[in-house]
Amino acid sequence: MSDPRELYQQVILEHNKKPRNFGRLEPCTHHAEGHNPLCGDQLDLTLVVENGMVQDVKFQGSGCAIDVASASLMTQAVKGRPVAEAEAMAEQFRGMVRGELDPATQAPLLGKLTLFQGVKDLPSRVKCAVLPWATLHAALKGEAEASTE
Amino acid sequence: MTTTLQPLDVQAIRRDFPLLSRSLNGRPVIYLDSAVSGQMPVQVIERMSKYERDEHTNVHRGVSTLSQEATDRYEEAREKVRAFLNAASAREIVWTRGTTESLNLVAQSFGRLVVQPGDEILLSAMEHHANIVPWQMLAQEKGATIKVIPMNDAGELILESLDELITERTRVMGLVHVSNVLGTINPVKAIVAKAHAKGVPVVVDGAQAVPHLAVDVRDLDADFYAFSGHKLSGPTGIGVLYGKLAHLEAMPPWQGGGSMIRSVSWEKTTYMPAPAKFEAGTPPIAGAIGLGAAIDYVRALGLDRIAAHEHDLLAYATENLLPIPGLRILGNAQEKASVLSFVVDGIHPHDLGSILDSEGVVVRAGHHCAQPVMTRFQVPATTRASFAYFNTREEVDILVSAVLKAIELFK
Ligand SMILES: Cc1ncc(COP(=O)(O)O)c(C=O)c1O
C-alpha cells in the first residue's frame, strides 16, 4: 500500500479547507442527497441543467477531506460541460479509484482529478471519494438520494 | 488497606501475541484497537487448534468417548465463565455468538414476556446499537415506548433522573457497563439497586467491561449480563449471556432445533432446562474452549494488575493528548476505562484514522455503533484509541506524535 500522505496532497487539503462552489442553488433543475452510512458523510448537490449542459452546480454538507475535496473538484470539473460528458467522467472516476482502469491511458476526461488515484490503495476510503460522483449521477437521473452502500 | 500490585511484565506478555511483532505499512504495528477486538495470545490460539486437531467432534451427542471428552471440555469452559463472573450456577451461563446475540435473546425471549402495549423500556443514553435496536424492534412489535437516561457533558449518566424515569410502566432497563465510546464506567450496582427498588430488571451490556475490570454479577445483582469472547482475548463467534436462573427458567426458548429439546413428537415438544433451552444447534465448540483459555490467561495475569496497567496508559495518553491545541477528548467521567475518544478541529476522524494507519497505529475512526452518542456530543464520528494490558507508554508516544503529524499536514 502506498503512503496515504501521498494522497493528502496540497490540492486536496486546500480544497477541503476552501471548498469551491459550496452552497445551494435556488432554483435548481436537479437535486440529490448523498449519504455514506459507514462514515456519516453527507452531501447535498444542486444543479442547473439547460440544453443538456451543466450550467451551474453547488454542493454543501460535511464529510472527510477526501469527500469534500472530491466534491469541490467535481463541481469545478463538470461545470459548463455537457451532461453526457459529466456522466462519462463519473464513470471514469469510479473506475480509477477502484483501480479498474489506468488513469494515464484510460481516463482522458479526468485531468486534474487523477489526483485521487491514490484512493485505490485505501479501500476503506473509496466510498468517500466516490460519494459526490454517485450523488451527481443520482441527481442527473432524477433520483433524490444516493448512497454508497 | 493498600496492597501494592506487582506490575505486569509487559515485554513478556507481548511475546504471547504474534500479531504485535508484524509490521503495518512498513512500520511496527501499534495496536490500540482492543475495544474493536482484542488480540488472542498464543495460549488461546493453541488451545483451539489442539481441539480442532486432536479432539474435534460434536458435543452432547451420543455415547462416543470422543464426544464425551469434547462435552467435558465445553462444559469446563462454561464453568470458567461462571467463576469469572461469580455466577451462582453454571446453569446461568448461556453460550451465544456474542454480546449482540445475547442482547437479542433477552429482548426476544424475556422482553416479549414482560413488555406489553403501553409499557416502557428504559435505556441509557450511551448504549451501543446492540442494546438499542433489539429493544426498538420489541417496542415496535409490542406498542411499547423507549425512554432514555440522559448523560452530562462529561459522559456520566444523570442518576437523579432515574426517580422520574422509572415509572410503574417500566418493564426493563438496558444499561452498558462501560461505554465503548466514552470509556465511562457506569455505577451498575447503584443503578440496579434503584431499578430493583421499583421492580425493574436490568440487562447489562458488559462487552467493554469484562476486559478491563473484575465483574461479579451477584454483587452487581444484574438480572442479565452479556459479553463477547473476542473482546476478552478470546475468539470471535462466541459470547455469553448470564441470566439469573429464575429468569432463564421462566423464559420461553428463542430458537428451536436440536440440543434444546427434551422430547419431540408431532403432538407435543418439551424443552431442556436452561441453559440448553437457549442453545439450539451445534455451538462453536472451539470458540467456547478458546474463551475458557482466554479467561485462564487474563486471570493468571490478574484483573487488578490489568486494570492498574491500563489505567496508567489511559492517564498517560490523556495527559499527553490534552494539551494539543484543537484536540478535544470525549468522555471525562470520574470512573473511566482505557477507551479514549477524541476529535481534532479541522480534521475529520476518518482522515485522522487513515493518517494514523500509515504510521502503523491502529485505532478506530467512526461512530462506534453508537450514533446517539455522536449526536449527543454533536460530532459525526470520533477517533478512538483503546489500551490493553499488552500496550506500552512508548506506543502511546507514537500515537501522540502521529496525531501531531496529522495536524501539521492539515494546517
Ligand atoms: C458496548 C458494546 N456492546 C455491544 C457490542 C457488540 O459486540 P459484538 O459485536 O461482539 O456482538 C460492542 C462491540 O463493539 C460494544 O462495544
Side-chain angles (χ1 to χ4, degrees):
Chain A
M1 185 170 114
S2 73
D3 189 336
R5 279 168 302 177
E6 282 168 21
L7 173 64
Y8 290 101
Q9 312 164 44
Q10 276 321 309
V11 182
I12 289 182
L13 293 169
E14 199 263 335
H15 273 262
N16 175 49
K17 250 194 190 159
K18 295 196 200 81
R20 315 299 196 278
N21 301 309
F22 195 82
R24 204 157 200 287
L25 289 171
E26 280 180 62
C28 65
T29 57
H30 294 70
H31 169 236
E33 281 178 21
H35 299 276
N36 180 345
L38 214 63
C39 303
D41 292 344
Q42 274 181 340
L43 194 83
D44 173 278
L45 191 74
T46 44
L47 298 118
V48 173
V49 176
E50 272 163 12
N51 306 321
M53 299 282 281
V54 178
Q55 297 293 356
D56 205 356
V57 51
K58 279 191 195 293
F59 82 101
Q60 60 185 20
S62 63
C64 63
I66 311 280
D67 169 45
V68 172
S70 173
S72 173
L73 282 150
M74 177 188 81
T75 56
Q76 285 191 322
V78 301
K79 202 160 156 176
R81 296 242 191 189
V83 167
E85 223 169 276
E87 288 276 30
M89 290 173 93
E91 248 339 279
Q92 290 179 10
F93 189 88
R94 210 188 297 247
M96 174 183 73
V97 295
R98 289 187 180 156
E100 290 159 5
L101 56 78
D102 176 6
T105 56
Q106 294 169 291
L109 290 170
L110 292 187
K112 184 152 87 168
L113 298 171
T114 53
L115 275 171
F116 288 93
Q117 60 182 295
V119 173
K120 73 173 189 305
D121 297 319
L122 293 173
S124 61
R125 309 304 301 283
V126 168
K127 287 175 176 175
C128 310
V130 165
L131 181 66
W133 292 95
T135 312
L136 175 72
H137 179 70
L140 292 173
K141 293 203 83 164
E143 290 159 7
E145 276 189 50
S147 165
T148 53
E149 274 309 277
Chain B
M1 190 187 71
T2 49
T3 47
T4 1
L5 291 171
Q6 183 76 16
L8 295 174
D9 181 352
V10 176
Q11 289 314 319
I13 290 171
R14 291 178 71 85
R15 288 193 285 275
D16 291 338
F17 293 84
L19 180 136
L20 298 181
S21 52
R22 69 165 272 185
S23 67
L24 190 68
N25 302 324
R27 293 165 204 258
V29 67
I30 310 287
Y31 192 78
L32 303 180
D33 212 7
S34 292
V36 153
S37 199
Q39 293 299 331
M40 286 191 280
V42 281
Q43 288 85 340
V44 172
I45 298 165
E46 279 166 8
R47 183 64 195 88
M48 289 196 295
S49 102
K50 176 172 158 43
Y51 170 78
E52 298 294 21
R53 270 187 289 117
D54 304 337
E55 305 167 352
H56 181 103
T57 177
N58 212 327
V59 291
H60 301 298
R61 294 291 189 285
V63 295
S64 84
T65 307
L66 211 52
S67 177
Q68 191 51 52
E69 281 177 10
T71 305
D72 289 348
R73 300 296 89 79
Y74 175 74
E75 292 302 329
E76 279 162 23
R78 195 191 304 272
E79 169 54 28
K80 285 176 187 179
V81 173
R82 183 210 63 76
F84 182 68
L85 296 178
N86 194 33
S89 156
R91 290 192 51 211
E92 298 179 315
I93 307 299
V94 180
W95 294 122
T96 65
R97 276 198 300 127
T99 309
T100 303
E101 190 172 75
S102 298
L103 295 169
N104 275 277
L105 193 167
V106 180
Q108 295 291 311
S109 173
F110 182 76
R112 278 206 184 122
L113 202 62
V114 298
V115 175
Q116 303 306 331
D119 285 344
E120 293 164 5
I121 297 164
L122 189 54
L123 303 175
S124 95
M126 60 179 87
E127 296 308 307
H128 184 280
H129 295 165
N131 210 16
I132 299 176
V133 184
W135 298 112
Q136 288 177 325
M137 289 161 61
L138 179 73
Q140 187 155 34
E141 175 187 318
K142 291 284 190 174
T145 50
I146 303 236
K147 287 191 163 183
V148 181
I149 309 166
M151 60 176 149
N152 63 24
D153 291 339
E156 294 166 320
L157 293 177
I158 301 171
L159 300 184
E160 299 74 53
S161 69
L162 282 174
D163 293 330
E164 214 165 285
L165 282 169
I166 306 177
T167 72
E168 70 279 7
R169 298 308 306 248
T170 310
R171 291 293 168 263
V172 60
M173 181 195 292
L175 177 64
V176 71
H177 195 166
V178 169
S179 160
N180 65 318
V181 180
L182 308 165
T184 312
I185 304 174
N186 283 315
V188 170
K189 188 175 174 173
I191 297 174
V192 168
K194 274 193 180 239
H196 284 179
K198 295 194 178 171
V200 175
V202 183
V203 183
V204 183
D205 171 355
Q208 299 291 350
V210 289
H212 302 293
L213 40 108
V215 171
D216 181 330
V217 288
R218 277 189 284 176
D219 181 55
L220 297 174
D221 202 19
D223 294 273
F224 296 94
Y225 197 97
F227 74 91
S228 301
H230 72 102
K231 301 205 201 258
L232 185 66
S233 313
T236 56
I238 186 78
V240 166
L241 174 67
Y242 158 83
K244 285 184 178 173
L245 196 57
H247 290 317
L248 295 180
E249 280 177 340
M251 284 156 59
W254 183 46
Q255 294 173 336
S259 304
M260 53 77 75
I261 52 85
R262 180 163 271 152
S263 72
V264 176
S265 71
W266 296 119
E267 291 71 37
K268 184 173 168 59
T269 290
T270 57
Y271 306 121
M272 293 287 281
K277 178 167 65 173
F278 302 105
E279 295 176 348
T282 300
I285 302 162
I289 293 172
L291 176 52
I295 288 175
D296 288 343
Y297 186 85
V298 297
R299 291 193 94 178
L301 295 180
L303 278 157
D304 44 359
R305 294 161 80 206
I306 289 175
H309 178 75
E310 291 173 349
H311 196 267
D312 174 70
L313 292 176
L314 177 69
Y316 183 70
T318 306
E319 188 184 302
N320 284 282
L321 285 171
L322 211 50
I324 297 176
L327 187 145
R328 180 160 67 99
I329 291 175
L330 272 79
N332 296 293
Q334 286 288 327
E335 296 293 325
K336 189 172 167 180
S338 55
V339 169
L340 206 162
S341 270
F342 56 95
V343 290
V344 179
D345 282 350
I347 311 184
H348 191 283
H350 291 123
D351 296 317
L352 188 54
S354 285
I355 291 163
L356 295 185
D357 192 64
S358 71
E359 299 287 330
V361 180
V362 186
V363 294
R364 169 91 190 267
H367 56 56
H368 316 290
C369 300
Q371 286 179 352
V373 179
M374 302 296 108
T375 308
R376 166 66 178 76
F377 286 98
Q378 296 178 315
V379 293
T382 76
T383 302
R384 178 189 68 190
S386 46
F387 308 107
Y389 51 78
F390 53 69
N391 290 126
T392 64
R393 282 189 171 211
E394 290 68 39
E395 292 180 308
V396 174
D397 291 338
I398 294 170
L399 165 71
V400 173
S401 70
V403 170
L404 290 171
K405 272 189 197 170
I407 291 175
E408 188 55 36
L409 189 65
F410 270 72
K411 216 159 56 204

